[in-house]
Amino acid sequence: MYEFVRSEGIYLYDKNGKSYIDLISGIAVNNVGHCNPDVIAAIKNQVDKYSHQMVYGEYVVHPQIELAKTVAKYLPSNLQSFYFLNSGSEAIEGAMKLVKKYTGRSKIVAMRNAYHGSSSGSLSMMSDEYYSGSFKPLLPNIFFMDYNDLNTLDIIDEATAAVFIEPIQAEIGYLPATQEFLNALREKCNETGTLLVFDEIQTGIGRTGKLFAFEHYNVVPDILVSAKALGGGMPIGAFISSREIMKSIEDNPILGHITTFGGHPVSCAAGNAAVKYIFKKQLLDSVQEKEDLFRALLVHPKIKKISGKGLMLSIELDSFKEVERTMKRCIDRGVIIDWFLYNTNCLRISPPLIISKSEIHEVCKIVLQSLDE
Ligand code: PMP
């Protein structure tokens, strides 16, 4: 077991002062680096003013407005209404309720091998019985289709409230959706009056070189779900939609979704600073170059394939044994790397976006040495 007592930028430090490069960002959370100075200043400033005050509704929580305004500037006109929560799973739960309330339908279509969270609703959208079977009964009326498979689109029909999809499916080993598939989903949803929901909990906040991955595709969802890096290292989640859709959850019953801590002022202040930092430092501009550098440097007979997009990359090896061995050697050499829930033959690379090119050279050398050994 490892225990880190301090972190800064892309580095974590153990109690003996040994440094480790973080190649996973606490799974796609620390996009602006650990202990980012702007984020720390925002947290301190907010804590000095107030932390929890009121459960919102009649009361305005100012840092929520600020974060929503910062993010909304980069979103299309139908994604300007925010509901903040505490985590990704919670935001997915909220979105699952919203789609039912707005459409008056109960059927939901999800993708095989998706991961949307561990709460009962989000877990219901997990196709693999191995992970969900022990927790039944889960939500009924959830149907699965294969990712990137155009042949199963007919499962989406006039009874379907929504389709939930990650534009890059994370836990199967960073598998990007094809343009064709997202186009077809959008079209089918339009035809059947189904809402299209993008889970950008892992892909969002700059990880792929755009603030949200859907921007690469030019396919706009009806509901966007964000979390993880949206809080700059603090806990947060949000579902985002049009005012028209969001309004449907406000009444009948009154307060259709309630949260005590959701959109906590300190989390929102931290997130606002983090998102602003991404643009202040133009971090999105270098993501493609950094991806290219990882791909160019990570050439080794044991690497069968690299998939993913931007700074969410998956390195396919022969077996889980090889993955475990490489991970252990990397950690011994001061590089933290990880694997995937559903694809144990792959190593996960999702470093803070602030990683420099020379640091990429350094970590790739260590990964290659670890594969060699
Ligand atoms: N959706 C995706 C795509 C995720 O990667 C995760 C977290 N790994 C979640 C949902 C759930 O988020 P949380 O752990 O914050 O509940």
Side-chain angles (χ1 to χ4, degrees):
M1 292 299 268
Y2 295 84
E3 185 183 347
F4 303 109
V5 295
R6 189 169 74 78
S7 55
E8 192 179 339
I10 65 159
Y11 294 94
L12 305 179
Y13 298 88
D14 69 14
K15 60 177 185 293
N16 301 316
K18 181 175 172 186
S19 67
Y20 296 78
I21 294 180
D22 180 4
L23 264 196
I24 52 175
S25 309
I27 311 209
V29 169
N30 304 98
N31 289 10
V32 296
H34 295 270
C35 288
N36 178 286
D38 287 16
V39 173
I40 290 180
I43 290 173
K44 286 185 174 162
N45 180 44
Q46 185 55 44
V47 168
D48 281 345
K49 286 188 189 147
Y50 63 91
S51 55
H52 184 72
Q53 278 184 341
M54 285 291 178
V55 175
Y56 58 100
E58 301 77 20
Y59 305 100
V60 172
V61 179
H62 188 68
Q64 286 179 5
I65 310 277
E66 292 300 303
L67 174 57
K69 273 204 230 155
T70 299
V71 176
K73 261 201 308 218
Y74 303 100
L75 291 176
S77 59
N78 70 318
L79 297 173
Q80 296 286 310
S81 194
F82 289 62
Y83 194 118
F84 287 109
L85 292 146
N86 302 286
S87 68
S89 302
E90 262 188 70
I92 290 286
E93 295 288 336
M96 290 177 88
K97 285 172 67 182
L98 181 62
V99 299
K100 290 178 179 171
K101 187 66 174 39
Y102 181 70
T103 62
R105 305 172 181 180
S106 65
K107 175 176 166 183
I108 286 178
V109 172
M111 300 294 137
R112 283 203 181 83
N113 298 319
Y115 180 80
H116 294 295
S118 267
S119 54
S120 290
S122 56
L123 195 62
S124 307
M125 296 198 288
M126 210 174 212
S127 60
D128 191 334
E129 284 274 319
Y130 171 78
Y131 293 101
S132 62
S134 305
F135 309 106
K136 287 191 167 178
L138 295 172
L139 290 184
N141 225 3
I142 308 239
F143 293 78
F144 294 100
M145 60 185 287
D146 287 328
Y147 202 76
N148 281 340
D149 181 2
L150 294 166
N151 297 317
T152 50
L153 281 174
D154 282 345
I155 202 163
I156 304 163
D157 57 17
E158 265 87 20
T160 313
V163 176
F164 280 70
I165 181 171
E166 301 155 85
I168 295 172
Q169 200 170 48
E171 294 309 318
I172 193 67
Y174 291 157
L175 172 65
T178 62
Q179 181 72 51
E180 219 187 350
F181 187 58
L182 288 192
N183 287 346
L185 275 184
R186 182 66 275 178
E187 221 168 276
K188 189 75 183 176
C189 285
N190 291 348
E191 259 172 51
T192 55
T194 300
L195 297 175
L196 183 58
V197 183
F198 283 173
D199 175 344
E200 293 239 27
I201 289 169
Q202 202 161 150
T203 49
I205 318 301
R207 182 123 309 268
T208 67
K210 303 273 188 194
L211 191 60
F212 290 99
F214 78 81
E215 297 168 57
H216 292 290
Y217 293 93
N218 233 346
V219 173
V220 177
D222 300 297
I223 299 174
L224 176 67
V225 185
S226 182
K228 287 190 183 272
L230 178 66
M234 296 291 284
I236 203 163
F239 55 92
I240 305 164
S241 74
S242 67
R243 184 75 196 110
E244 182 201 332
I245 295 174
M246 195 66 88
K247 247 181 103 52
S248 68
I249 208 157
E250 280 176 9
D251 47 40
N252 190 26
I254 189 163
L255 303 174
H257 200 67
I258 303 176
T259 170
T260 296
F261 282 125
H264 192 277
V266 181
S267 294
C268 287
N272 191 26
V275 176
K276 283 187 167 165
Y277 186 88
I278 285 174
F279 290 100
K280 181 173 97 178
K281 296 286 180 183
Q282 299 174 332
L283 292 181
L284 301 183
D285 297 351
S286 60
V287 169
Q288 180 68 55
E289 252 176 282
K290 289 174 184 172
E291 172 188 350
D292 294 344
L293 188 56
F294 269 114
R295 285 181 182 272
L297 294 173
L298 288 174
V299 176
H300 190 280
K302 284 187 180 165
I303 297 180
K304 290 167 67 182
K305 197 172 93 189
I306 298 182
S307 42
K309 184 154 185 63
L311 287 174
M312 52 192 302
L313 296 171
S314 158
I315 306 171
E316 189 178 335
L317 306 180
D318 256 339
S319 63
F320 182 50
K321 222 170 174 184
E322 196 64 62
V323 165
E324 267 189 316
R325 228 183 273 150
T326 311
M327 263 173 49
K328 168 90 181 57
R329 288 174 194 144
C330 281
I331 294 172
D332 287 346
R333 291 180 161 95
V335 169
I336 296 169
I337 198 161
D338 197 16
W339 50 288
F340 293 92
L341 198 55
Y342 309 134
N343 190 342
T344 50
N345 285 4
C346 293
L347 286 166
R348 181 199 301 267
I349 294 192
S350 57
L353 309 182
I354 57 164
I355 193 168
S356 69
K357 287 188 201 150
S358 66
E359 287 161 342
I360 293 174
H361 277 273
E362 188 186 339
V363 290
C364 287
K365 213 163 117 190
I366 293 172
V367 173
L368 294 176
Q369 279 168 358
S370 303
L371 285 166
D372 268 340
E373 199 180 273

Short mmCIF file of all heavy atoms in Angstrom, two decimals, residues 274-304:
data_model
loop_
_atom_site.label_atom_id
_atom_site.label_comp_id
_atom_site.label_asym_id
_atom_site.label_seq_id
_atom_site.Cartn_x
_atom_site.Cartn_y
_atom_site.Cartn_z
N ALA A 274 -10.68 26.28 -11.50
CA ALA A 274 -10.04 25.26 -12.34
C ALA A 274 -10.38 25.46 -13.82
O ALA A 274 -9.50 25.42 -14.69
CB ALA A 274 -10.45 23.87 -11.88
N VAL A 275 -11.66 25.69 -14.09
CA VAL A 275 -12.07 25.86 -15.50
C VAL A 275 -11.43 27.14 -16.07
O VAL A 275 -10.91 27.14 -17.20
CB VAL A 275 -13.60 25.88 -15.64
CG1 VAL A 275 -14.02 26.15 -17.08
CG2 VAL A 275 -14.21 24.56 -15.16
N LYS A 276 -11.42 28.19 -15.27
CA LYS A 276 -10.79 29.44 -15.74
C LYS A 276 -9.30 29.24 -16.00
O LYS A 276 -8.74 29.77 -16.96
CB LYS A 276 -10.98 30.55 -14.71
CG LYS A 276 -12.39 31.14 -14.74
CD LYS A 276 -12.49 32.32 -13.84
CE LYS A 276 -13.78 33.09 -14.12
NZ LYS A 276 -14.08 34.03 -13.04
N TYR A 277 -8.66 28.43 -15.14
CA TYR A 277 -7.22 28.17 -15.28
C TYR A 277 -6.93 27.47 -16.62
O TYR A 277 -5.95 27.78 -17.30
CB TYR A 277 -6.75 27.29 -14.12
CG TYR A 277 -5.26 27.07 -14.06
CD1 TYR A 277 -4.42 27.96 -13.39
CD2 TYR A 277 -4.68 25.96 -14.68
CE1 TYR A 277 -3.05 27.75 -13.34
CE2 TYR A 277 -3.30 25.75 -14.63
CZ TYR A 277 -2.50 26.65 -13.96
OH TYR A 277 -1.15 26.46 -13.92
N ILE A 278 -7.82 26.54 -16.99
CA ILE A 278 -7.64 25.81 -18.26
C ILE A 278 -7.56 26.80 -19.43
O ILE A 278 -6.71 26.67 -20.31
CB ILE A 278 -8.79 24.79 -18.45
CG1 ILE A 278 -8.56 23.60 -17.52
CG2 ILE A 278 -8.91 24.34 -19.90
CD1 ILE A 278 -9.68 22.58 -17.50
N PHE A 279 -8.42 27.82 -19.39
CA PHE A 279 -8.42 28.78 -20.50
C PHE A 279 -7.31 29.82 -20.34
O PHE A 279 -6.69 30.22 -21.32
CB PHE A 279 -9.81 29.42 -20.64
CG PHE A 279 -10.81 28.41 -21.16
CD1 PHE A 279 -11.68 27.75 -20.30
CD2 PHE A 279 -10.81 28.05 -22.50
CE1 PHE A 279 -12.56 26.78 -20.77
CE2 PHE A 279 -11.69 27.07 -22.98
CZ PHE A 279 -12.57 26.45 -22.11
N LYS A 280 -7.05 30.23 -19.11
CA LYS A 280 -5.97 31.20 -18.87
C LYS A 280 -4.64 30.65 -19.38
O LYS A 280 -3.86 31.35 -20.01
CB LYS A 280 -5.89 31.50 -17.36
CG LYS A 280 -4.82 32.51 -16.97
CD LYS A 280 -4.90 32.89 -15.50
CE LYS A 280 -3.92 32.09 -14.67
NZ LYS A 280 -3.90 32.44 -13.24
N LYS A 281 -4.40 29.37 -19.13
CA LYS A 281 -3.12 28.76 -19.52
C LYS A 281 -3.21 28.08 -20.88
O LYS A 281 -2.26 27.39 -21.30
CB LYS A 281 -2.70 27.72 -18.47
CG LYS A 281 -2.42 28.30 -17.11
CD LYS A 281 -1.10 29.06 -17.10
CE LYS A 281 -0.82 29.65 -15.73
NZ LYS A 281 0.40 30.43 -15.68
N GLN A 282 -4.33 28.23 -21.54
CA GLN A 282 -4.55 27.63 -22.86
C GLN A 282 -4.18 26.14 -22.89
O GLN A 282 -3.49 25.68 -23.81
CB GLN A 282 -3.77 28.41 -23.92
CG GLN A 282 -4.24 29.86 -23.98
CD GLN A 282 -3.41 30.72 -24.90
OE1 GLN A 282 -2.22 30.45 -25.13
NE2 GLN A 282 -4.01 31.75 -25.43
N LEU A 283 -4.60 25.45 -21.86
CA LEU A 283 -4.21 24.03 -21.73
C LEU A 283 -4.80 23.16 -22.84
O LEU A 283 -4.21 22.15 -23.22
CB LEU A 283 -4.62 23.47 -20.36
CG LEU A 283 -3.89 24.04 -19.15
CD1 LEU A 283 -4.38 23.38 -17.86
CD2 LEU A 283 -2.38 23.84 -19.27
N LEU A 284 -5.95 23.57 -23.37
CA LEU A 284 -6.58 22.73 -24.40
C LEU A 284 -5.73 22.67 -25.66
O LEU A 284 -5.71 21.66 -26.36
CB LEU A 284 -7.99 23.25 -24.74
CG LEU A 284 -8.99 23.32 -23.59
CD1 LEU A 284 -10.35 23.79 -24.09
CD2 LEU A 284 -9.12 21.97 -22.89
N ASP A 285 -5.01 23.77 -25.92
CA ASP A 285 -4.27 23.87 -27.19
C ASP A 285 -3.17 22.82 -27.33
O ASP A 285 -2.76 22.50 -28.43
CB ASP A 285 -3.64 25.26 -27.32
CG ASP A 285 -4.70 26.34 -27.38
OD1 ASP A 285 -5.89 25.98 -27.48
OD2 ASP A 285 -4.35 27.53 -27.30
N SER A 286 -2.64 22.34 -26.20
CA SER A 286 -1.49 21.43 -26.31
C SER A 286 -1.88 19.95 -26.12
O SER A 286 -1.01 19.08 -26.18
CB SER A 286 -0.43 21.82 -25.28
OG SER A 286 -0.99 21.73 -23.99
N VAL A 287 -3.18 19.69 -25.90
CA VAL A 287 -3.57 18.30 -25.61
C VAL A 287 -3.28 17.37 -26.79
O VAL A 287 -2.73 16.27 -26.62
CB VAL A 287 -5.05 18.23 -25.16
CG1 VAL A 287 -5.55 16.79 -25.10
CG2 VAL A 287 -5.23 18.89 -23.80
N GLN A 288 -3.60 17.83 -27.99
CA GLN A 288 -3.37 16.98 -29.17
C GLN A 288 -1.88 16.66 -29.34
O GLN A 288 -1.49 15.51 -29.57
CB GLN A 288 -3.90 17.68 -30.43
CG GLN A 288 -3.71 16.88 -31.71
CD GLN A 288 -4.55 15.62 -31.76
OE1 GLN A 288 -5.76 15.67 -31.61
NE2 GLN A 288 -3.91 14.46 -31.93
N GLU A 289 -1.05 17.70 -29.19
CA GLU A 289 0.41 17.50 -29.30
C GLU A 289 0.91 16.50 -28.27
O GLU A 289 1.78 15.67 -28.56
CB GLU A 289 1.10 18.82 -28.98
CG GLU A 289 1.71 19.56 -30.14
CD GLU A 289 2.25 20.88 -29.61
OE1 GLU A 289 1.43 21.81 -29.39
OE2 GLU A 289 3.46 20.96 -29.38
N LYS A 290 0.36 16.61 -27.06
CA LYS A 290 0.79 15.70 -25.98
C LYS A 290 0.32 14.28 -26.27
O LYS A 290 1.06 13.32 -26.03
CB LYS A 290 0.28 16.21 -24.63
CG LYS A 290 1.00 17.48 -24.19
CD LYS A 290 0.42 18.08 -22.92
CE LYS A 290 1.13 19.39 -22.58
NZ LYS A 290 0.49 20.12 -21.45
N GLU A 291 -0.89 14.15 -26.80
CA GLU A 291 -1.35 12.81 -27.20
C GLU A 291 -0.40 12.24 -28.25
O GLU A 291 0.05 11.09 -28.14
CB GLU A 291 -2.78 12.88 -27.79
CG GLU A 291 -3.20 11.55 -28.40
CD GLU A 291 -4.52 11.57 -29.16
OE1 GLU A 291 -5.26 12.58 -29.10
OE2 GLU A 291 -4.81 10.56 -29.84
N ASP A 292 -0.08 13.06 -29.25
CA ASP A 292 0.80 12.58 -30.33
C ASP A 292 2.15 12.14 -29.77
O ASP A 292 2.72 11.14 -30.21
CB ASP A 292 1.02 13.68 -31.38
CG ASP A 292 -0.28 14.02 -32.12
OD1 ASP A 292 -1.22 13.22 -32.04
OD2 ASP A 292 -0.33 15.11 -32.75
N LEU A 293 2.64 12.91 -28.78
CA LEU A 293 3.94 12.58 -28.20
C LEU A 293 3.87 11.24 -27.46
O LEU A 293 4.77 10.39 -27.63
CB LEU A 293 4.38 13.72 -27.26
CG LEU A 293 5.80 13.62 -26.70
CD1 LEU A 293 6.84 13.53 -27.81
CD2 LEU A 293 6.10 14.84 -25.81
N PHE A 294 2.83 11.04 -26.65
CA PHE A 294 2.67 9.74 -25.97
C PHE A 294 2.66 8.62 -27.01
O PHE A 294 3.32 7.59 -26.86
CB PHE A 294 1.36 9.70 -25.17
CG PHE A 294 1.49 10.15 -23.74
CD1 PHE A 294 0.86 11.30 -23.29
CD2 PHE A 294 2.21 9.38 -22.83
CE1 PHE A 294 0.97 11.70 -21.96
CE2 PHE A 294 2.32 9.77 -21.49
CZ PHE A 294 1.69 10.94 -21.05
N ARG A 295 1.87 8.83 -28.07
CA ARG A 295 1.73 7.77 -29.08
C ARG A 295 3.07 7.50 -29.79
O ARG A 295 3.41 6.35 -30.10
CB ARG A 295 0.65 8.12 -30.11
CG ARG A 295 -0.76 7.98 -29.56
CD ARG A 295 -1.79 8.32 -30.64
NE ARG A 295 -3.15 8.24 -30.17
CZ ARG A 295 -3.91 7.14 -30.19
NH1 ARG A 295 -3.42 6.01 -30.67
NH2 ARG A 295 -5.14 7.17 -29.74
N ALA A 296 3.83 8.58 -30.03
CA ALA A 296 5.11 8.41 -30.73
C ALA A 296 6.14 7.72 -29.84
O ALA A 296 6.95 6.92 -30.32
CB ALA A 296 5.63 9.78 -31.17
N LEU A 297 6.09 8.02 -28.55
CA LEU A 297 7.12 7.48 -27.66
C LEU A 297 6.80 6.08 -27.17
O LEU A 297 7.71 5.28 -26.91
CB LEU A 297 7.31 8.40 -26.44
CG LEU A 297 7.88 9.80 -26.73
CD1 LEU A 297 7.84 10.66 -25.48
CD2 LEU A 297 9.30 9.70 -27.27
N LEU A 298 5.53 5.78 -27.04
CA LEU A 298 5.16 4.47 -26.47
C LEU A 298 5.10 3.40 -27.57
O LEU A 298 4.04 2.91 -27.95
CB LEU A 298 3.83 4.57 -25.73
CG LEU A 298 3.90 5.33 -24.40
CD1 LEU A 298 2.52 5.52 -23.80
CD2 LEU A 298 4.84 4.65 -23.41
N VAL A 299 6.28 3.09 -28.07
CA VAL A 299 6.40 2.04 -29.08
C VAL A 299 7.23 0.92 -28.47
O VAL A 299 8.35 1.15 -28.01
CB VAL A 299 7.08 2.58 -30.35
CG1 VAL A 299 7.28 1.46 -31.37
CG2 VAL A 299 6.25 3.71 -30.95
N HIS A 300 6.66 -0.26 -28.42
CA HIS A 300 7.32 -1.38 -27.75
C HIS A 300 6.68 -2.67 -28.25
O HIS A 300 5.46 -2.69 -28.48
CB HIS A 300 7.14 -1.24 -26.23
CG HIS A 300 7.97 -2.19 -25.43
ND1 HIS A 300 7.62 -3.51 -25.23
CD2 HIS A 300 9.15 -2.00 -24.78
CE1 HIS A 300 8.54 -4.09 -24.50
NE2 HIS A 300 9.48 -3.21 -24.21
N PRO A 301 7.47 -3.74 -28.42
CA PRO A 301 6.86 -4.98 -28.92
C PRO A 301 5.70 -5.48 -28.05
O PRO A 301 4.81 -6.17 -28.54
CB PRO A 301 8.01 -5.99 -28.89
CG PRO A 301 9.25 -5.22 -28.62
CD PRO A 301 8.91 -3.83 -28.24
N LYS A 302 5.72 -5.14 -26.76
CA LYS A 302 4.63 -5.61 -25.88
C LYS A 302 3.37 -4.76 -25.98
O LYS A 302 2.32 -5.13 -25.47
CB LYS A 302 5.10 -5.63 -24.43
CG LYS A 302 6.02 -6.79 -24.11
CD LYS A 302 6.29 -6.83 -22.62
CE LYS A 302 7.22 -7.98 -22.28
NZ LYS A 302 7.78 -7.83 -20.94
N ILE A 303 3.48 -3.59 -26.62
CA ILE A 303 2.30 -2.73 -26.77
C ILE A 303 1.58 -3.10 -28.06
O ILE A 303 2.10 -2.91 -29.15
CB ILE A 303 2.68 -1.22 -26.76
CG1 ILE A 303 3.30 -0.86 -25.40
CG2 ILE A 303 1.46 -0.35 -27.05
CD1 ILE A 303 3.73 0.59 -25.27
N LYS A 304 0.36 -3.64 -27.89
CA LYS A 304 -0.36 -4.10 -29.08
C LYS A 304 -1.12 -2.97 -29.75
O LYS A 304 -1.25 -2.92 -30.97
CB LYS A 304 -1.35 -5.20 -28.68
CG LYS A 304 -0.62 -6.49 -28.27
CD LYS A 304 -1.51 -7.48 -27.58
CE LYS A 304 -2.58 -8.05 -28.50
NZ LYS A 304 -3.46 -8.99 -27.76
#
